[in-house]
Amino acid sequence: MAPSSPDRQEIHRWMVRLADGDRAAFPPLFEALWPLLRSFSRRLLSQHHDAEDVAQQALLNVFRRAGEFDPQRDALSWIFGITAYECKTVMRRRYRRREEPATPTMDLKRQLQAPDDTEQELIRQELLGAAKEVLGSLSPQDVETLEAAFGNCQRPMVSAAAFRKRLERALKRLRLAWRLKIDSP
């Protein structure tokens, strides 16, 4: 009989302990994260031989950056963010080497557009609805700034420093609105 996988709270507790310098938290955290990160990486990358390398690099970065972890944040989300960044780095590298004709984010876009099952489609719809709601709560200037930063519209006619400051504020308000949305019952 296989051991049950640890829950989100257990992973969070181990991550907090590791962030506080408790090296005894390393083995159980590694055992819990390895299959999750490898599976996550396999879903994001079209070439599965890269998935283990990405999962290893992500784990190294998680353990290396453990001191930066904010215990008020969700540990698993923070860890998956690091892993997603590593996946994106590999996709960019492949794209620059012309190993893949598709754009670097094509695998992720394909998954978001064509989920494997009904549960994923429901999760996708719920996330899209929450994202639209959160964006709708921001000011028009914040939305315009975010769209310009992501290349969806033309950048406002302000200096580069002013735009960076607007973007910083807009992202701060976006994070706050998202946290309020996620934390509300």
Side-chain angles (χ1 to χ4, degrees):
M1 183 173 175
S4 65
S5 63
D7 65 3
R8 218 176 179 95
Q9 286 82 18
E10 258 185 313
I11 291 172
H12 185 82
R13 283 191 297 273
W14 290 329
M15 191 64 216
V16 169
R17 286 177 46 200
L18 187 65
D20 288 339
D22 182 1
R23 291 180 179 229
F26 177 85
L29 187 58
F30 176 85
E31 291 297 321
L33 292 178
W34 176 246
L36 294 173
L37 298 187
R38 194 172 55 190
S39 173
F40 181 77
S41 300
R42 283 183 180 157
R43 279 184 260 137
L44 291 180
L45 298 171
S46 61
Q47 297 180 2
H48 291 285
H49 63 273
D50 287 333
E52 288 206 19
D53 292 340
V54 165
Q56 287 175 8
Q57 186 61 45
L59 275 171
L60 284 172
N61 286 339
V62 165
F63 296 128
R64 190 177 299 134
R65 295 177 54 194
E68 299 172 23
F69 175 67
D70 178 4
Q72 301 302 316
R73 293 181 63 192
D74 178 50
L76 207 49
S77 298
W78 185 75
I79 292 164
F80 280 140
I82 291 172
T83 308
Y85 181 83
E86 289 301 321
C87 288
K88 191 174 180 182
T89 301
V90 166
M91 288 186 272
R92 279 190 196 136
R93 190 177 314 124
R94 271 198 246 138
Y95 182 70
R96 278 194 306 266
R97 291 181 187 161
R98 310 246 188 285
E99 292 176 8
E100 287 187 2
T103 60
T105 57
M106 188 56 106
D107 292 337
L108 184 57
K109 284 181 182 175
R110 193 177 315 122
Q111 284 186 359
L112 288 175
Q113 291 169 354
D116 294 340
D117 60 20
T118 307
E119 182 180 2
Q120 278 193 328
E121 176 61 23
L122 290 172
I123 291 169
R124 181 182 160 278
Q125 291 298 325
E126 186 177 323
L127 283 173
L128 284 173
K132 286 178 183 177
E133 186 179 325
V134 167
L135 283 174
S137 71
L138 298 177
S139 73
Q141 183 180 1
D142 285 347
V143 173
E144 177 188 14
T145 302
L146 291 169
E147 287 179 342
F150 293 111
N152 293 342
C153 70
Q154 189 174 5
R155 201 178 104 188
M157 299 301 288
V158 295
S159 70
F163 182 75
R164 282 192 304 273
K165 194 61 177 175
R166 278 187 189 180
L167 180 59
E168 181 183 316
R169 288 186 198 127
L171 286 170
K172 184 177 181 179
R173 287 190 276 264
L174 177 66
R175 282 189 290 271
L176 178 62
W178 184 256
R179 282 188 188 125
L180 290 173
K181 171 70 179 158
I182 297 303
D183 291 341
S184 67

